[in-house]
Amino acid sequence: MLEAVLLALGPTLTRRFDLDTQRVARILAAQTEGIEALLSDERTRTVLDTTLGWRYREGFNSAADRINSRGLRSAREFSPRAAAGVRRVAAFGDSFVYGNEVADADAWTAVLERELADVEVLNYGVGGYGTDQAYLRYLREGVEYAPDIVLIGFAPVNLRRAINVYPRFISSADEPVVKPRFKLIDSDLHLIPNPLPDRADWERLTREPRRVTELGTYDEWYDALRYENPLYDRSASVRFAIALGLKIWRKYLWSGRLLARKEFRPEAPAFALQLALLSTFADSVRARGARPVVVLFPDRWSIEQVFA
């Protein structure tokens, strides 16, 4: 009886409690479909990257945005050095930096460039990036155009990305991409590289989709109760109970939870890791002769807490 009720009310309960009660088989099928699209479609903005996990395609052009030959959001190319009297700014981060939901001219980096005649802004933002990926991209490409100032974008969502390898472990609605991450050991950052650096790794994952569980080794958002439970796909009541239990555990009991009493928990491992990433990023910028500036992009919830 309970099983029949949950099957009938599943969509309603899922929306009411904001739960993901999909069968793992369905999650993996969508994963395979997404990977195949990334591997075969040369029109997608997102492409796989050996080091960073993914990036935006060089030369991509759509009605809303254009990316130049070096992977920067711009319709133009840049010279190795800024023109005399022009201060060059490089902005690194995620979709808040890139401006995913607005056209090129409305991205804040473009607005900043228009408002300040003696400033040139290079947009290195990539949707979904953690501070770790932004930092690694800076190390790989950030000195190429000799910026005077490096803007490091930070949004609260970067906290959960700091301890994540496979974004679909956080939300099955995300693209099937993977990322490197760092671990903080004795106050030092240690890199865990991109676990699927080669095309062959992705092709194997399309043939053996359940191997995605191997990505859980270094991902704090991996839930073995969902992915490794033989009863999960067989029973709607089991899926609902596990999904609800995991949500409660993550929010109230998990030692890594990010929030408590509507405030960020400084003792959360992700918080300390994020601070270390920002500090190391800034130190690297200074060491290369530029000025680091951390730009905060508060989400709606954070703003509401400040003005509540």
Side-chain angles (χ1 to χ4, degrees):
M1 177 63 74
L2 177 60
E3 192 75 8
V5 170
L6 286 173
L7 283 172
L9 298 180
T12 301
L13 292 172
T14 297
R15 288 192 299 271
R16 174 67 179 82
F17 295 100
D18 189 25
L19 302 176
D20 185 353
T21 57
Q22 297 180 83
R23 289 181 171 85
V24 171
R26 182 175 178 181
I27 293 174
L28 296 181
Q31 166 187 288
T32 299
E33 182 179 344
I35 294 171
E36 290 175 342
L38 283 173
L39 293 177
S40 63
D41 193 343
E42 296 183 356
R43 298 166 298 176
T44 58
R45 182 172 61 183
T46 301
V47 294
L48 300 175
D49 185 279
T50 298
T51 302
L52 304 174
W54 68 92
R55 66 179 189 276
Y56 283 161
R57 185 186 300 277
E58 295 87 347
F60 177 83
N61 192 345
S62 76
D65 56 346
R66 288 167 291 180
I67 299 172
N68 71 12
S69 66
R70 304 302 295 170
L72 308 181
R73 183 173 193 175
S74 179
R76 71 182 193 273
E77 303 297 329
F78 296 95
S79 61
R81 293 289 186 275
V86 174
R87 183 171 296 183
R88 177 166 281 177
V89 177
F92 289 82
D94 62 6
S95 59
F96 288 93
V97 171
Y98 184 84
N100 270 31
E101 297 180 6
V102 300
D104 287 339
D106 297 321
W108 68 270
T109 50
V111 173
L112 181 63
E113 193 172 75
R114 287 199 303 273
E115 292 294 322
L116 302 174
D118 60 344
V119 168
E120 182 179 56
V121 185
L122 283 62
N123 189 330
Y124 288 85
V126 176
Y129 264 21
T131 305
D132 40 21
Q133 291 164 289
Y135 170 53
L136 290 171
R137 186 176 188 189
Y138 170 74
L139 293 180
R140 187 173 76 177
E141 307 168 24
V143 184
E144 180 180 9
Y145 291 113
D148 302 294
I149 298 172
V150 175
L151 303 182
I152 305 168
F154 170 76
V157 69
N158 295 142
L159 284 164
R160 67 184 186 185
R161 291 172 181 162
I163 54 175
N164 175 234
V165 170
Y166 186 49
R168 281 174 62 85
F169 287 152
I170 297 177
S171 170
S172 60
D174 280 343
E175 286 188 287
V177 288
V178 297
K179 60 183 287 293
R181 60 158 294 192
F182 287 85
K183 284 186 73 71
L184 197 57
I185 302 175
D186 296 330
S187 301
D188 293 325
L189 289 173
H190 293 261
L191 177 64
I192 300 171
N194 173 6
L196 301 177
D198 302 319
R199 183 184 179 91
D201 298 319
W202 288 98
E203 292 173 342
R204 182 177 64 175
L205 194 56
T206 62
R207 297 190 301 270
E208 305 174 66
R210 285 197 172 271
R211 295 191 69 129
V212 74
T213 59
E214 297 172 5
L215 300 176
T217 302
Y218 297 109
D219 195 318
E220 306 300 330
W221 292 97
Y222 175 65
D223 293 319
L225 278 175
R226 173 176 286 124
Y227 281 87
E228 299 178 38
N229 186 343
L231 297 178
Y232 192 82
D233 276 12
R234 298 179 186 176
S235 169
S237 55
V238 168
R239 289 195 298 278
F240 180 79
I242 288 178
L244 182 59
L246 286 172
K247 187 179 182 78
I248 293 172
W249 178 69
R250 291 275 186 191
K251 187 171 183 178
Y252 299 107
L253 303 174
W254 179 36
S255 62
R257 64 191 184 279
L258 299 174
L259 296 171
R261 298 185 181 90
K262 298 185 178 182
E263 294 181 356
F264 288 110
R265 298 176 66 241
E267 64 270 28
F271 197 94
L273 178 56
Q274 180 64 54
L275 288 179
L277 284 167
L278 290 171
S279 178
T280 301
F281 198 156
D283 288 344
S284 296
V285 171
R286 292 190 193 95
R288 289 162 174 78
R291 179 180 179 182
V293 177
V294 176
V295 181
L296 302 180
F297 296 98
D299 55 20
R300 181 175 179 176
W301 178 88
S302 298
I303 293 174
E304 288 174 346
Q305 301 315 303
V306 171
F307 293 101

